[in-house]
Amino acid sequence: MTVTARRVLIAGAGPVGLAAAVEFRRRGFAPRIVDAGEGPTPEDQSRALGVLPRTLDILAASGISERLLAEGNRISRMAVADNGRPLFELSTAAGHTRHPFILVLPQGRTERLMIEWLAAHDVDVEWGVAFQTVADTHAPRVTLSTGETIPADIVVGADGAHSAVREDVGIPWSGAGYPAEFALADVVFDKPVDPAVGQIDLRSGSGDPGGAVAMLPLGARRGRYVGIAPSTEALIGDVPGIESVTWASRFHVSFRHAERMAKGRVFLAGDAAHVHSPVGGRGMNLGIWDAATLAFLASETRETEYEMRRLPSVRSVMEATRRGTDFIAAPPPAALLAMRYLMPLAAWTPWLRGRIADRILGLDLPQPEWL
Protein backbone atom coordinates (compact mmCIF):
# COMPACT_ATOMS: atom_id res chain seq x y z
CA MET A 1 0.00 0.00 0.00
CA THR A 2 1.49 3.38 -0.96
CA VAL A 3 1.65 6.32 1.41
CA THR A 4 -0.88 8.32 -0.60
CA ALA A 5 -3.36 5.43 -0.56
CA ARG A 6 -3.40 5.24 3.24
CA ARG A 7 -6.40 7.04 4.70
CA VAL A 8 -5.85 9.32 7.71
CA LEU A 9 -8.66 10.84 9.74
CA ILE A 10 -7.74 13.48 12.32
CA ALA A 11 -10.26 14.47 15.00
CA GLY A 12 -9.56 17.93 16.40
CA ALA A 13 -8.28 21.05 14.66
CA GLY A 14 -6.37 22.75 17.44
CA PRO A 15 -2.60 23.24 17.09
CA VAL A 16 -1.88 19.52 17.51
CA GLY A 17 -4.48 18.26 15.04
CA LEU A 18 -3.47 20.91 12.53
CA ALA A 19 0.20 20.02 12.95
CA ALA A 20 -0.70 16.37 12.37
CA ALA A 21 -2.51 17.32 9.15
CA VAL A 22 0.47 19.42 7.99
CA GLU A 23 2.98 16.69 8.72
CA PHE A 24 0.92 13.92 7.12
CA ARG A 25 0.22 16.09 4.07
CA ARG A 26 3.83 17.07 3.45
CA ARG A 27 4.79 13.40 3.65
CA GLY A 28 2.42 12.52 0.82
CA PHE A 29 -0.77 11.55 2.64
CA ALA A 30 -4.18 13.11 1.99
CA PRO A 31 -5.45 13.58 5.54
CA ARG A 32 -9.00 14.50 6.45
CA ILE A 33 -9.41 16.73 9.52
CA VAL A 34 -12.68 17.37 11.34
CA ASP A 35 -13.58 19.48 14.36
CA ALA A 36 -16.81 19.87 16.30
CA GLY A 37 -16.20 23.61 16.72
CA GLU A 38 -17.13 26.40 14.36
CA GLY A 39 -13.64 27.72 13.73
CA PRO A 40 -10.14 28.26 15.12
CA THR A 41 -9.28 29.88 18.46
CA PRO A 42 -10.41 33.54 18.56
CA GLU A 43 -7.49 35.82 17.78
CA ASP A 44 -8.10 37.91 20.91
CA GLN A 45 -7.42 34.88 23.15
CA SER A 46 -3.71 34.12 23.22
CA ARG A 47 -4.06 30.71 24.98
CA ALA A 48 -1.02 28.50 24.18
CA LEU A 49 1.59 30.93 22.89
CA GLY A 50 5.12 29.60 23.47
CA VAL A 51 6.73 27.88 20.48
CA LEU A 52 9.95 26.06 21.35
CA PRO A 53 12.97 25.55 19.06
CA ARG A 54 12.28 21.90 18.33
CA THR A 55 8.78 22.78 17.17
CA LEU A 56 10.32 25.32 14.78
CA ASP A 57 12.73 22.63 13.56
CA ILE A 58 9.83 20.24 12.94
CA LEU A 59 7.69 22.78 11.09
CA ALA A 60 10.59 24.12 9.02
CA ALA A 61 10.16 21.43 6.36
CA SER A 62 6.66 22.68 5.52
CA GLY A 63 7.71 26.32 5.54
CA ILE A 64 5.39 27.15 8.44
CA SER A 65 8.28 28.00 10.78
CA GLU A 66 9.27 30.84 8.47
CA ARG A 67 5.78 32.28 8.84
CA LEU A 68 5.79 31.83 12.61
CA LEU A 69 9.17 33.53 12.90
CA ALA A 70 7.98 36.45 10.79
CA GLU A 71 5.07 37.14 13.15
CA GLY A 72 6.21 35.99 16.59
CA ASN A 73 8.18 37.72 19.34
CA ARG A 74 11.51 36.21 20.41
CA ILE A 75 12.27 35.93 24.12
CA SER A 76 15.94 35.21 24.82
CA ARG A 77 16.27 36.23 28.47
CA MET A 78 14.30 35.60 31.66
CA ALA A 79 14.65 38.04 34.56
CA VAL A 80 13.94 36.38 37.91
CA ALA A 81 12.86 38.41 40.96
CA ASP A 82 11.75 37.67 44.51
CA ASN A 83 8.77 39.80 45.49
CA GLY A 84 9.86 42.39 42.97
CA ARG A 85 13.52 42.37 44.05
CA PRO A 86 15.76 41.39 41.10
CA LEU A 87 17.75 38.20 41.67
CA PHE A 88 19.37 37.16 38.39
CA GLU A 89 18.82 36.85 34.65
CA LEU A 90 18.91 33.67 32.58
CA SER A 91 19.86 33.75 28.92
CA THR A 92 18.94 31.15 26.33
CA ALA A 93 21.75 32.22 24.00
CA ALA A 94 23.86 29.18 24.97
CA GLY A 95 21.15 26.71 23.94
CA HIS A 96 22.25 24.05 21.48
CA THR A 97 19.93 25.11 18.68
CA ARG A 98 19.79 27.49 15.75
CA HIS A 99 16.74 29.06 17.41
CA PRO A 100 18.01 29.93 20.93
CA PHE A 101 14.82 31.67 22.06
CA ILE A 102 11.18 31.09 22.91
CA LEU A 103 8.95 32.31 20.11
CA VAL A 104 5.75 33.86 21.43
CA LEU A 105 2.70 34.01 19.19
CA PRO A 106 -1.00 33.79 20.13
CA GLN A 107 -2.47 30.35 19.49
CA GLY A 108 -5.10 31.75 17.13
CA ARG A 109 -2.40 33.03 14.77
CA THR A 110 -0.46 29.76 14.91
CA GLU A 111 -3.64 27.86 14.01
CA ARG A 112 -4.52 30.22 11.16
CA LEU A 113 -1.06 29.93 9.62
CA MET A 114 -1.42 26.15 9.59
CA ILE A 115 -4.96 26.35 8.20
CA GLU A 116 -3.74 28.61 5.38
CA TRP A 117 -0.93 26.17 4.58
CA LEU A 118 -3.33 23.23 4.53
CA ALA A 119 -5.78 25.06 2.26
CA ALA A 120 -2.94 25.78 -0.15
CA HIS A 121 -2.22 22.03 -0.17
CA ASP A 122 -5.82 20.94 -0.81
CA VAL A 123 -6.77 20.12 2.79
CA ASP A 124 -9.69 22.02 4.31
CA VAL A 125 -10.72 21.73 7.94
CA GLU A 126 -14.28 20.43 8.22
CA TRP A 127 -15.71 22.64 10.98
CA GLY A 128 -18.90 21.63 12.76
CA VAL A 129 -18.21 17.96 12.07
CA ALA A 130 -17.67 15.83 15.16
CA PHE A 131 -16.15 12.40 15.63
CA GLN A 132 -18.80 10.09 17.07
CA THR A 133 -17.51 6.54 17.15
CA VAL A 134 -15.03 4.14 15.61
CA ALA A 135 -15.76 0.50 14.90
CA ASP A 136 -12.90 -2.04 15.02
CA THR A 137 -9.71 -0.23 16.07
CA HIS A 138 -7.63 -2.60 13.91
CA ALA A 139 -9.57 -1.78 10.73
CA PRO A 140 -11.20 1.51 11.69
CA ARG A 141 -14.54 2.70 10.36
CA VAL A 142 -15.34 6.14 11.75
CA THR A 143 -18.83 7.55 12.06
CA LEU A 144 -19.12 11.34 12.00
CA SER A 145 -21.87 13.62 13.30
CA THR A 146 -23.01 14.12 9.70
CA GLY A 147 -24.02 10.44 9.62
CA GLU A 148 -21.18 9.57 7.27
CA THR A 149 -19.16 6.44 7.99
CA ILE A 150 -15.68 6.34 6.51
CA PRO A 151 -12.88 3.75 6.55
CA ALA A 152 -9.48 4.86 7.79
CA ASP A 153 -6.07 3.28 8.03
CA ILE A 154 -4.98 5.72 10.75
CA VAL A 155 -7.19 7.63 13.19
CA VAL A 156 -5.63 10.47 15.19
CA GLY A 157 -7.42 11.65 18.32
CA ALA A 158 -6.22 15.23 18.82
CA ASP A 159 -9.51 16.35 20.30
CA GLY A 160 -8.39 17.61 23.69
CA ALA A 161 -8.57 16.59 27.32
CA HIS A 162 -12.18 15.42 26.99
CA SER A 163 -11.30 13.40 23.91
CA ALA A 164 -14.25 11.61 22.35
CA VAL A 165 -11.78 9.35 20.52
CA ARG A 166 -10.07 8.26 23.73
CA GLU A 167 -13.35 7.65 25.51
CA ASP A 168 -14.86 5.76 22.58
CA VAL A 169 -11.99 3.28 22.32
CA GLY A 170 -11.91 2.81 26.09
CA ILE A 171 -8.40 4.00 26.97
CA PRO A 172 -8.30 4.81 30.73
CA TRP A 173 -7.58 8.41 31.78
CA SER A 174 -5.45 8.50 34.94
CA GLY A 175 -4.39 11.26 37.29
CA ALA A 176 -5.98 13.99 39.37
CA GLY A 177 -6.72 17.67 39.54
CA TYR A 178 -4.29 20.15 41.09
CA PRO A 179 -5.48 22.16 44.11
CA ALA A 180 -4.11 25.55 43.07
CA GLU A 181 -6.00 27.92 40.79
CA PHE A 182 -4.30 29.71 37.91
CA ALA A 183 -5.10 33.07 36.38
CA LEU A 184 -3.86 34.77 33.24
CA ALA A 185 -4.21 38.19 31.71
CA ASP A 186 -3.21 39.59 28.33
CA VAL A 187 -2.32 43.23 28.84
CA VAL A 188 -1.30 46.40 27.06
CA PHE A 189 1.51 48.37 28.73
CA ASP A 190 1.47 52.14 29.06
CA LYS A 191 5.14 52.26 28.03
CA PRO A 192 7.27 49.96 25.86
CA VAL A 193 9.01 47.02 27.56
CA ASP A 194 11.98 45.04 26.29
CA PRO A 195 10.29 42.38 24.12
CA ALA A 196 13.27 40.02 24.48
CA VAL A 197 12.99 39.73 28.27
CA GLY A 198 10.44 37.59 30.07
CA GLN A 199 9.94 38.01 33.80
CA ILE A 200 9.34 35.63 36.69
CA ASP A 201 8.50 37.02 40.12
CA LEU A 202 8.57 34.60 43.05
CA ARG A 203 5.93 35.62 45.57
CA SER A 204 7.40 34.09 48.68
CA GLY A 205 6.84 36.67 51.42
CA SER A 206 5.63 35.54 54.82
CA GLY A 207 2.27 37.24 54.28
CA ASP A 208 1.81 35.71 50.86
CA PRO A 209 0.49 32.23 50.07
CA GLY A 210 3.38 31.67 47.70
CA GLY A 211 3.38 31.14 43.99
CA ALA A 212 5.02 32.92 41.11
CA VAL A 213 3.89 35.17 38.31
CA ALA A 214 5.43 35.05 34.85
CA MET A 215 5.20 37.75 32.20
CA LEU A 216 5.87 36.87 28.57
CA PRO A 217 6.09 39.83 26.18
CA LEU A 218 4.04 39.54 23.02
CA GLY A 219 5.79 42.64 21.73
CA ALA A 220 6.98 45.99 23.03
CA ARG A 221 3.53 47.06 24.26
CA ARG A 222 1.72 43.76 24.91
CA GLY A 223 2.31 40.85 27.25
CA ARG A 224 0.83 37.82 29.01
CA TYR A 225 0.81 37.46 32.80
CA VAL A 226 0.14 33.99 34.19
CA GLY A 227 0.53 32.44 37.60
CA ILE A 228 -1.10 30.81 40.59
CA ALA A 229 -3.69 33.31 41.80
CA PRO A 230 -7.40 33.24 42.69
CA SER A 231 -8.28 36.15 40.41
CA THR A 232 -6.97 38.52 37.77
CA GLU A 233 -6.80 41.24 40.42
CA ALA A 234 -4.63 39.07 42.64
CA LEU A 235 -2.43 38.26 39.66
CA ILE A 236 -1.71 41.79 38.39
CA GLY A 237 -3.36 44.18 40.83
CA ASP A 238 -0.03 45.47 42.16
CA VAL A 239 1.82 45.43 38.83
CA PRO A 240 2.60 48.96 37.63
CA GLY A 241 2.49 50.12 34.01
CA ILE A 242 -0.57 48.21 32.78
CA GLU A 243 -2.78 50.34 30.57
CA SER A 244 -5.51 47.77 29.87
CA VAL A 245 -6.42 44.09 30.02
CA THR A 246 -7.52 42.66 26.68
CA TRP A 247 -8.35 39.13 27.84
CA ALA A 248 -8.37 37.36 31.19
CA SER A 249 -9.11 33.86 32.35
CA ARG A 250 -9.06 31.71 35.48
CA PHE A 251 -8.60 27.97 35.33
CA HIS A 252 -7.73 24.85 37.26
CA VAL A 253 -5.21 22.35 35.94
CA SER A 254 -4.88 18.60 36.15
CA PHE A 255 -2.04 16.16 35.79
CA ARG A 256 -3.65 13.37 33.80
CA HIS A 257 -2.55 11.00 31.07
CA ALA A 258 -3.93 8.25 28.91
CA GLU A 259 -2.66 4.87 30.03
CA ARG A 260 -1.98 4.13 26.36
CA MET A 261 -1.34 6.38 23.37
CA ALA A 262 -2.47 3.82 20.81
CA LYS A 263 -5.07 1.11 20.43
CA GLY A 264 -4.90 -0.78 17.19
CA ARG A 265 -4.76 1.87 14.47
CA VAL A 266 -6.18 4.62 16.68
CA PHE A 267 -3.60 7.04 18.12
CA LEU A 268 -3.80 9.83 20.69
CA ALA A 269 -1.82 13.07 20.57
CA GLY A 270 -1.61 16.26 22.61
CA ASP A 271 -4.17 16.93 25.34
CA ALA A 272 -6.09 13.81 24.34
CA ALA A 273 -3.10 11.87 25.68
CA HIS A 274 -1.65 14.10 28.43
CA VAL A 275 -2.48 17.30 30.29
CA HIS A 276 -0.53 19.24 32.89
CA SER A 277 0.00 22.77 34.16
CA PRO A 278 1.39 25.54 31.92
CA VAL A 279 4.61 25.74 33.96
CA GLY A 280 7.51 25.39 31.53
CA GLY A 281 5.43 26.04 28.43
CA ARG A 282 5.67 22.46 27.13
CA GLY A 283 2.01 21.52 26.54
CA MET A 284 1.30 22.57 22.94
CA ASN A 285 4.85 21.75 21.90
CA LEU A 286 4.72 18.24 23.36
CA GLY A 287 1.52 17.61 21.41
CA ILE A 288 3.01 18.88 18.15
CA TRP A 289 5.98 16.56 18.71
CA ASP A 290 3.49 13.69 19.18
CA ALA A 291 1.81 14.53 15.88
CA ALA A 292 5.04 14.90 13.92
CA THR A 293 6.43 11.64 15.31
CA LEU A 294 3.30 9.75 14.29
CA ALA A 295 3.38 11.17 10.76
CA PHE A 296 7.06 10.29 10.37
CA LEU A 297 6.57 6.74 11.62
CA ALA A 298 3.50 6.28 9.41
CA SER A 299 5.50 7.42 6.38
CA GLU A 300 7.80 4.45 7.07
CA THR A 301 4.91 2.13 8.01
CA ARG A 302 6.31 2.00 11.54
CA GLU A 303 3.39 3.63 13.38
CA THR A 304 3.17 0.65 15.74
CA GLU A 305 6.31 2.11 17.38
CA TYR A 306 4.54 5.38 18.23
CA GLU A 307 3.50 4.62 21.80
CA MET A 308 6.86 3.29 22.94
CA ARG A 309 8.67 6.26 21.37
CA ARG A 310 6.43 8.97 22.81
CA LEU A 311 5.62 7.69 26.30
CA PRO A 312 9.11 8.24 27.80
CA SER A 313 9.14 11.90 26.75
CA VAL A 314 5.56 12.41 27.93
CA ARG A 315 6.34 10.93 31.33
CA SER A 316 9.51 13.00 31.65
CA VAL A 317 7.70 16.25 30.86
CA MET A 318 4.82 15.49 33.20
CA GLU A 319 7.18 14.68 36.09
CA ALA A 320 9.27 17.81 35.53
CA THR A 321 6.18 19.99 35.16
CA ARG A 322 4.70 18.62 38.38
CA ARG A 323 7.93 19.39 40.26
CA GLY A 324 7.99 22.91 38.82
CA THR A 325 4.34 23.51 39.68
CA ASP A 326 4.83 22.27 43.25
CA PHE A 327 7.80 24.60 43.60
CA ILE A 328 6.00 27.75 42.53
CA ALA A 329 2.89 26.82 44.52
CA ALA A 330 4.83 26.48 47.78
CA PRO A 331 8.56 27.20 47.40
CA PRO A 332 10.57 25.29 50.04
CA PRO A 333 12.80 27.61 52.10
CA ALA A 334 15.97 25.76 51.06
CA ALA A 335 15.05 26.05 47.39
CA LEU A 336 14.41 29.78 47.80
CA LEU A 337 17.85 30.18 49.34
CA ALA A 338 19.34 28.37 46.36
CA MET A 339 17.43 30.64 43.98
CA ARG A 340 18.70 33.71 45.78
CA TYR A 341 22.35 32.75 46.19
CA LEU A 342 23.31 29.78 44.00
CA MET A 343 21.38 30.42 40.79
CA PRO A 344 23.11 33.78 40.16
CA LEU A 345 26.43 31.90 40.25
CA ALA A 346 25.12 29.13 38.01
CA ALA A 347 23.90 31.72 35.51
CA TRP A 348 27.49 32.92 35.12
CA THR A 349 29.10 29.46 34.92
CA PRO A 350 29.72 28.63 31.23
CA TRP A 351 29.03 24.87 31.30
CA LEU A 352 25.88 25.38 33.36
CA ARG A 353 24.58 28.17 31.12
CA GLY A 354 24.18 25.74 28.24
CA ARG A 355 22.37 23.15 30.37
CA ILE A 356 20.04 25.78 31.83
CA ALA A 357 19.30 27.19 28.39
CA ASP A 358 18.58 23.72 27.00
CA ARG A 359 16.18 23.01 29.85
CA ILE A 360 14.31 26.29 29.35
CA LEU A 361 14.07 25.63 25.61
CA GLY A 362 12.90 22.03 25.94
CA LEU A 363 16.10 20.66 24.40
CA ASP A 364 16.64 18.22 27.25
CA LEU A 365 14.35 15.68 25.54
CA PRO A 366 15.42 13.27 22.78
CA GLN A 367 15.95 14.76 19.34
CA PRO A 368 13.37 13.59 16.77
CA GLU A 369 14.83 10.78 14.66
CA TRP A 370 14.28 12.49 11.31
CA LEU A 371 15.82 15.88 12.13
Side-chain angles (χ1 to χ4, degrees), residues 30-264:
R32 185 171 177 181
I33 179 169
V34 301
D35 192 286
E38 296 305 316
T41 299
E43 292 199 73
D44 61 350
Q45 299 179 11
S46 60
R47 297 190 182 271
L49 46 67
V51 181
L52 296 177
R54 193 153 285 153
T55 302
L56 293 172
D57 292 340
I58 286 170
L59 296 176
S62 63
I64 289 176
S65 289
E66 184 177 349
R67 305 182 193 192
L68 296 172
L69 289 164
E71 292 197 25
N73 179 56
R74 306 179 187 196
I75 298 176
S76 57
R77 305 196 306 280
M78 294 297 296
V80 181
D82 181 10
N83 288 301
R85 180 172 65 89
L87 293 179
F88 55 88
E89 190 171 279
L90 298 173
S91 170
T92 59
H96 296 87
T97 171
R98 57 178 175 160
H99 302 299
F101 49 80
I102 299 171
L103 188 74
V104 177
L105 187 66
Q107 178 177 326
R109 283 304 303 152
T110 299
E111 290 177 358
R112 283 166 175 79
L113 290 173
M114 291 187 189
I115 290 168
E116 291 169 8
W117 187 95
L118 288 168
H121 292 79
D122 304 315
V123 179
D124 292 319
V125 179
E126 298 176 48
W127 299 108
V129 178
F131 167 95
Q132 285 197 326
T133 188
V134 57
D136 189 352
T137 56
H138 292 280
R141 297 185 309 281
V142 177
T143 300
L144 303 175
S145 59
T146 57
E148 182 183 6
T149 297
I150 58 173
D153 299 294
I154 294 172
V155 177
V156 184
D159 51 343
H162 302 288
S163 171
V165 175
R166 185 190 66 239
E167 293 180 6
D168 186 65
V169 299
I171 295 177
W173 188 231
S174 301
Y178 195 77
E181 185 174 13
F182 281 75
L184 65 82
D186 289 350
V187 307
V188 176
F189 299 109
D190 59 11
K191 297 178 182 177
V193 300
D194 188 339
V197 181
Q199 300 173 15
I200 299 175
D201 188 19
L202 303 173
R203 296 182 172 179
S204 58
S206 58
D208 195 285
V213 174
M215 191 283 286
L216 300 176
L218 287 159
R221 292 289 304 275
R222 297 182 301 123
R224 145 80 67 84
Y225 282 92
V226 62
I228 293 177
S231 66
T232 303
E233 291 73 22
L235 181 74
I236 61 171
D238 296 330
V239 177
I242 294 177
E243 181 178 288
S244 63
V245 176
T246 59
W247 181 58
S249 179
R250 293 163 55 190
F251 57 97
H252 285 90
V253 299
S254 297
F255 286 83
R256 302 182 190 274
H257 62 91
E259 292 189 3
R260 300 189 60 184
M261 292 181 71
K263 188 171 183 179

Side-chain angles (χ1 to χ4, degrees), residues 286-316:
L286 189 64
I288 291 174
W289 302 344
D290 291 342
T293 301
L294 179 58
F296 163 70
L297 292 172
S299 71
E300 299 199 339
T301 62
R302 294 165 50 201
E303 60 268 25
T304 54
E305 301 176 20
Y306 171 71
E307 183 175 81
M308 73 174 187
R309 290 184 175 275
R310 291 306 301 152
L311 275 178
S313 291
V314 167
R315 289 170 178 156
S316 176

Side-chain angles (χ1 to χ4, degrees), residues 263-274:
K263 188 171 183 179
R265 309 201 65 74
V266 178
F267 304 88
L268 302 179
D271 286 356
H274 42 77

